[in-house]
């Protein structure tokens, strides 16, 4: 048994046999042609373009009943790219200049175009470089009479393993034959990931080298919720996953029933159940799972590109998209939380000895107002398109709130002077994820409009346990009395000052914690969209009074082991709760 970890690109769990999808290295010949042959080579190119277009048209017809708008639009855009007169002009000019065969010329021209797209400042154009390669492969296959490996002929359900997948590979595939996808390459914002989500196929990308280890027919588990892939699982692991998979499918069914219902306790307290998202496209999943809003948009994922930060315009477009898609539901966008465990940015300045305690999140932003202000301006500009809330991460005390608000004021004044509209009443809140902030939450509550408790970090800093270190995970305990006291104190202090208190750390999605958090008076729970139905089910099954009694009992206890046992027993009696 071997486990791989990658990026959770599309949720869901699959158990099945591997199918290795190899990206072929088509060998392209290179030879000289005479001036007389130029016209003939150009004709070959035009024919190949026609045939490639027809191939896509056939695909569109074959898939017409099962294809959504995303896929149709993608195929249409590929037809446009193949038939772009500029592509033909470039091939024509290079043929005349270089006098080489057209396959070779095409590769050169495509490389130039891809390079141009890749270095563009526009994210949309950057992503088109993948499509461009995809499109060129189709033309090349036609020129070489090469029938590429395709996922359209799959005869049995499989887990597709590849170094990389092109968007068109996914569109052409028999989707009921693809249980899941696992690739070495790819990120959350790649087209492949977006399509996997929209096709609802569990997918883990960015696994680095999974395709080197897996052979055709090997048994695999793909956990798109956790971002892991297990090769040749042992019996026990497989049976745990089969149970988890069943539970997941049950969730999906519940989802359909619970979607339209409110998250309301049996005695009538309404709770806001919101979604955490990392990229704008995830709003679709939030809406599908009935989220009342976005409780945390981790904006730093827009910043994942080597050595460059997104421009104000790029950020503005992403924020506006989310706000518009959520209509008037609240959207809490957290300002940049760079650094710490999020070290994948290729940003050398953040190479620190002790990054978890280092120059990260709001500390970084306050010392780089040039970068911070760009984000604040983008947020303010986007605010007129929906119901925006702005949240600052990693606040440790009052000075940082004041300093952040000063820069926020400057950004507002700049826009004012430029005559750019923005909403005047945007709620501004902070994350409570450092013990000093929780302990001074009475003071901080006077400065801001809401709190959101970030338990992922709060647990890490309270218990001094690195959240990413697998050797000490046994210490990472949400039910540690020290953590629970800080959460309770934060909620009480927020309420005393009349501001709502939410939670966007993973604890908010833990079904074992739901009743405790309800009983403490938490107003908003924010979590990955797929977790919403289960938490909603629990909220709808308990009364506030019951939950308060549970809190009364556990806050008398002195160990996380005791508290965990108590809540498991309580839940077991109430819900016939299945343990993992
Ligand atoms: C948290 O710390 O709980 C949180 C939600 O933020 P992140 O996981 O992005 O640090
Ligand atoms: Mg955090």
């Amino acid at each position: 048994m071997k486990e791989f970890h990658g990026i959770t690109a599309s949720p869901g769990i699959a158990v099945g046999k591997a199918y290795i999808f190899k990206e072929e290295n088509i060998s392209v010949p290179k030879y000289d042609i005479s001036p007389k042959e130029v016209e003939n080579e150009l004709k070959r190119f035009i024919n190949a373009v026609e045939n490639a277009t027809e191939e896509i048209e056939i695909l569109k017809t074959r898939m017409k009943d099962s294809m959504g708008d995303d896929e149709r639009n993608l195929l249409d855009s590929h037809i446009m790219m193949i038939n772009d007169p500029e592509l033909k002009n470039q091939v024509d000019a290079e043929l005349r200049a270089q006098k080489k065969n057209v396959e070779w010329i095409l590769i050169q021209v495509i490389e130039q175009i891809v390079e141009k797209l890749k270095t563009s400042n526009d994210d949309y154009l950057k992503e088109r470089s993948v499509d461009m390669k995809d499109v060129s492969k189709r033309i090349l296959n036609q020129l070489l009479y090469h029938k590429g490996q395709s996922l359209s002929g799959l005869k049995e359900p499989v887990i597709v393993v590849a170094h990389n997948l092109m968007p068109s590979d996914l569109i052409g595939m028999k989707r009921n034959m693809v249980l899941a996808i696992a690739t070495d390459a790819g990120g959350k914002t790649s087209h492949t990931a977006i399509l996997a989500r929209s096709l609802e196929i569990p997918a883990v990308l960015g696994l680095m080298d999974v395709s080197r280890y897996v052979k055709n027919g090997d048994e695999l588990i793909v956990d798109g919720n956790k971002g892991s892939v297990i090769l040749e699982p042992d019996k026990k692991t497989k049976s745990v996953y089969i149970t988890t998979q069943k539970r997941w499918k049950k969730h999906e069914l519940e989802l359909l029933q619970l979607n339209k219902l409110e998250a309301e306790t049996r005695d009538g307290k309404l709770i806001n159940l919101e979604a955490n998202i990392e990229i704008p496209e995830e709003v679709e999943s939030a809406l599908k799972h009935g989220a009342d809003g976005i409780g945390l948009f981790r904006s730093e994922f827009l910043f994942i590109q080597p050595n460059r930060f997104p421009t104000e315009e790029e950020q503005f477009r992403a924020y506006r998209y989310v706000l518009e898609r959520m209509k008037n539901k609240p959207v809490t966008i957290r300002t940049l939380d760079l650094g710490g465990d999020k070290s994948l940015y290729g940003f050398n300045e953040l190479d620190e000895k002790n990054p978890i305690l280092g120059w990260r999140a709001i500390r970084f932003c306050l010392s780089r107002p040039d970068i911070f202000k760009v984000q604040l301006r983008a947020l303010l500009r986007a605010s007129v398109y929906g119901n925006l809330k702005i949240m600052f991460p990693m606040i440790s005390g009052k000075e940082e709130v004041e300093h952040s608000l000063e820069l926020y004021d400057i950004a507002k004044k700049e826009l004012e002077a430029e005559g750019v509209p923005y909403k005047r009443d945007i709620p501004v809140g902070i994350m409570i994820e450092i013990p000093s902030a929780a302990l001074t939450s009475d003071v901080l509550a006077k400065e801001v409009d809401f709190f959101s408790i970030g338990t992922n970090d709060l647990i890490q800093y309270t218990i001094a346990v690195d959240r990413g270190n697998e050797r000490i995970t046994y210490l990472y305990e949400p039910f540690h009395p020290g953590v629970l006291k800080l959460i309770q104190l934060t909620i009480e202090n927020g309420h005393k000052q009349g501001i709502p208190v939410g939670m966007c750390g993973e604890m908010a999605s833990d079904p074992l914690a739901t009743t405790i958090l309800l009983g403490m008076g938490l107003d908003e729970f924010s979590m990955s969209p797929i977790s919403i139905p289960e938490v909603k089910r629990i909220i709808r099954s308990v009364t506030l009074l019951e939950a308060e009694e549970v809190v009364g009992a556990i806050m008398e206890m002195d160990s996380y082991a005791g508290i965990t046992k108590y809540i498991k027993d309580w839940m077991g009696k109430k819900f016939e709760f299945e343990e993992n």
Side-chain angles (χ1 to χ4, degrees):
M1 180 164 112
K2 184 169 171 62
E3 190 161 346
F4 302 85
H5 296 278
I7 295 162
T8 54
S10 179
I13 292 165
V15 180
K17 298 268 179 243
Y19 173 82
I20 310 296
F21 187 73
K22 282 211 176 72
E23 205 186 350
E24 304 123 295
N25 287 322
I26 306 171
S27 74
V28 177
K30 177 186 179 187
Y31 50 88
D32 293 330
I33 55 165
S34 67
K36 274 197 279 175
E37 286 172 311
V38 167
E39 287 306 325
N40 195 37
E41 287 297 282
L42 189 61
K43 216 161 160 195
R44 284 185 61 221
F45 173 75
I46 294 168
N47 280 345
V49 163
E50 278 171 12
N51 291 342
T53 308
E54 197 183 326
E55 188 182 277
I56 303 179
E57 292 291 2
I58 291 170
L59 187 63
K60 270 175 67 186
T61 314
R62 182 157 57 77
M63 307 289 290
K64 77 173 181 321
D65 295 331
S66 53
M67 194 159 54
D69 285 349
D70 279 356
E71 297 104 302
R72 208 181 337 271
N73 291 341
L74 188 78
L75 288 182
D76 284 340
S77 75
H78 281 192
I79 291 178
M80 273 173 68
M81 286 165 106
I82 287 179
N83 289 281
D84 185 352
E86 193 46 38
L87 176 64
K88 187 185 147 211
N89 291 346
Q90 271 178 263
V91 168
D92 190 345
E94 291 298 323
L95 268 175
R96 286 172 210 288
Q98 294 192 41
K99 310 228 172 26
K100 296 268 184 300
N101 58 310
V102 72
E103 295 89 345
W104 181 255
I105 295 293
L106 177 65
I107 297 246
Q108 316 300 310
V109 168
I110 294 291
E111 258 171 27
Q112 285 168 22
I113 299 176
V114 164
E115 209 38 51
K116 230 182 181 169
L117 290 171
K118 268 190 182 159
T119 50
S120 152
N121 285 342
D122 186 320
D123 274 353
Y124 178 80
L125 288 180
K126 252 198 194 118
E127 296 218 332
R128 294 294 72 71
S129 65
V130 179
D131 296 306
M132 199 66 222
K133 278 194 202 155
D134 200 355
V135 156
S136 70
K137 213 165 93 181
R138 274 193 198 279
I139 307 177
L140 210 54
N141 281 342
Q142 291 296 335
L143 284 167
L144 298 167
Y145 302 107
H146 182 96
K147 285 260 168 270
Q149 190 185 2
S150 149
L151 293 172
S152 61
L154 292 172
K155 301 263 184 306
E156 54 173 353
V158 289
I159 292 177
V160 175
V161 179
H163 176 66
N164 201 2
L165 280 177
M166 293 290 180
S168 62
D169 294 327
L170 288 197
I171 293 173
M173 76 190 173
K174 276 197 178 159
R175 76 186 62 168
N176 55 347
M177 293 294 163
V178 177
L179 299 171
I181 289 163
T183 65
D184 299 340
K188 242 187 150 111
T189 62
S190 65
H191 250 129
T192 307
I194 294 166
L195 282 173
R197 278 195 288 279
S198 89
L199 298 169
E200 299 196 19
I201 296 171
V204 182
L205 309 187
L207 285 152
M208 313 306 285
D209 57 358
V210 71
S211 71
R212 281 208 298 130
Y213 290 89
V214 181
K215 296 187 301 304
N216 264 330
D218 280 352
E219 181 147 56
L220 283 184
I221 295 173
V222 172
D223 185 341
N225 304 340
K226 286 203 191 128
S228 59
V229 170
I230 301 170
L231 171 60
E232 295 294 354
D234 57 33
K235 254 193 180 154
K236 187 163 168 260
T237 309
K238 191 172 163 187
S239 96
V240 167
Y241 264 96
I242 287 175
T243 312
T244 318
Q245 192 187 28
K246 276 189 197 143
R247 196 152 61 215
W248 168 258
K249 286 190 175 147
K250 204 170 107 210
H251 272 190
E252 292 280 279
L253 289 175
E254 278 175 358
L255 177 115
L256 296 174
Q257 294 153 20
L258 287 172
N259 231 348
K260 300 271 175 289
L261 301 175
E262 308 262 35
E264 184 178 13
T265 62
R266 280 185 27 229
D267 47 356
K269 166 139 185 183
L270 265 182
I271 302 293
N272 256 357
L273 275 194
E274 303 189 337
N276 292 353
I277 61 168
E278 278 79 39
I279 56 164
E281 288 78 4
E282 265 182 296
V283 283
E284 306 311 326
S285 180
L287 289 168
K288 179 183 151 195
H289 290 83
D292 298 317
I294 302 295
L296 168 65
F297 177 5
R298 289 182 163 99
S299 68
E300 55 275 9
F301 283 85
L302 299 174
F303 288 69
I304 304 176
Q305 40 190 334
N307 303 320
R308 181 176 90 78
F309 286 105
T311 61
E312 181 179 317
E313 193 57 30
E314 284 166 338
Q315 292 188 56
F316 162 73
R317 266 190 268 146
Y319 305 148
R320 173 181 171 172
Y321 175 81
V322 176
L323 285 160
E324 286 186 332
R325 280 301 288 138
M326 291 305 289
K327 305 250 162 53
N328 249 331
K329 291 181 175 168
V331 173
T332 307
I333 302 183
R334 176 175 77 181
T335 59
L336 183 58
D337 186 356
L338 191 61
D341 52 324
K342 297 181 190 113
S343 54
L344 32 90
Y345 298 86
F347 195 67
N348 297 335
E349 280 178 77
L350 294 185
D351 194 10
E352 297 184 299
K353 275 217 179 92
N354 214 341
I356 301 280
L357 301 177
W359 189 45
R360 54 171 295 201
I362 202 69
R363 304 163 183 193
F364 171 79
C365 286
L366 292 179
S367 60
R368 289 294 304 265
D370 52 329
I371 293 169
F372 193 31
K373 242 179 0 130
V374 170
Q375 181 168 40
L376 293 171
R377 285 174 56 100
L379 285 166
L380 283 161
R381 282 174 55 200
S383 65
V384 291
Y385 295 96
N387 185 357
L388 173 68
K389 294 160 86 175
I390 295 176
M391 177 159 79
F392 302 129
M394 285 283 293
I395 291 289
S396 65
K398 189 178 171 201
E399 294 78 1
E400 277 171 338
V401 180
E402 286 172 346
H403 194 174
S404 307
L405 292 174
E406 272 164 31
L407 288 172
Y408 180 55
D409 266 348
I410 295 175
K412 283 201 233 174
K413 289 207 176 93
E414 280 181 10
L415 292 180
E416 193 96 51
E418 293 164 26
V420 178
Y422 64 88
K423 263 198 184 160
R424 304 288 139 158
D425 52 354
I426 305 167
V428 177
I430 55 171
M431 290 196 65
I432 301 289
E433 51 185 343
I434 297 182
S436 61
L439 290 166
T440 55
S441 49
D442 53 339
V443 177
L444 300 178
K446 296 187 182 123
E447 308 289 324
V448 293
D449 302 313
F450 65 92
F451 284 159
S452 183
I453 305 173
T455 46
N456 304 343
D457 279 317
L458 186 63
I459 297 167
Q460 158 164 274
Y461 295 124
T462 305
I463 311 178
V465 50
D466 179 348
R467 65 194 250 193
N469 186 336
E470 66 283 358
R471 276 191 220 123
I472 45 172
T473 42
Y474 68 96
L475 281 175
Y476 192 88
E477 268 304 329
F479 297 138
H480 189 297
V483 173
L484 291 176
K485 279 181 189 163
L486 290 178
I487 294 173
Q488 192 177 41
L489 180 69
T490 303
I491 298 172
E492 278 173 9
N493 281 333
H495 287 174
K496 269 188 209 150
Q497 204 50 45
I499 64 169
V501 182
M503 177 178 287
C504 59
E506 291 306 306
M507 189 175 178
S509 65
D510 179 355
L512 279 180
T514 309
T515 311
I516 298 174
L517 297 171
L518 265 181
M520 287 185 176
L522 195 74
D523 304 294
E524 290 167 8
F525 293 59
S526 191
M527 62 201 74
S528 58
I530 51 166
S531 303
I532 290 175
E534 177 78 65
V535 173
K536 192 185 271 187
R537 181 172 77 99
I538 295 170
I539 292 172
R540 291 180 58 81
S541 312
V542 298
T543 63
L544 204 52
L545 198 67
E546 265 177 321
E548 283 165 359
E549 279 167 11
V550 167
V551 172
I554 62 158
M555 293 313 273
E556 294 289 311
M557 297 181 181
D558 56 11
S559 73
Y560 66 74
I563 295 170
T564 308
K565 179 169 182 334
Y566 178 90
I567 192 67
K568 276 189 179 166
D569 289 349
W570 191 88
M571 292 287 284
K573 277 190 215 124
K574 188 144 186 83
F575 297 100
E576 293 167 25
F577 193 72
E578 272 175 65
E579 235 189 279
N580 259 332

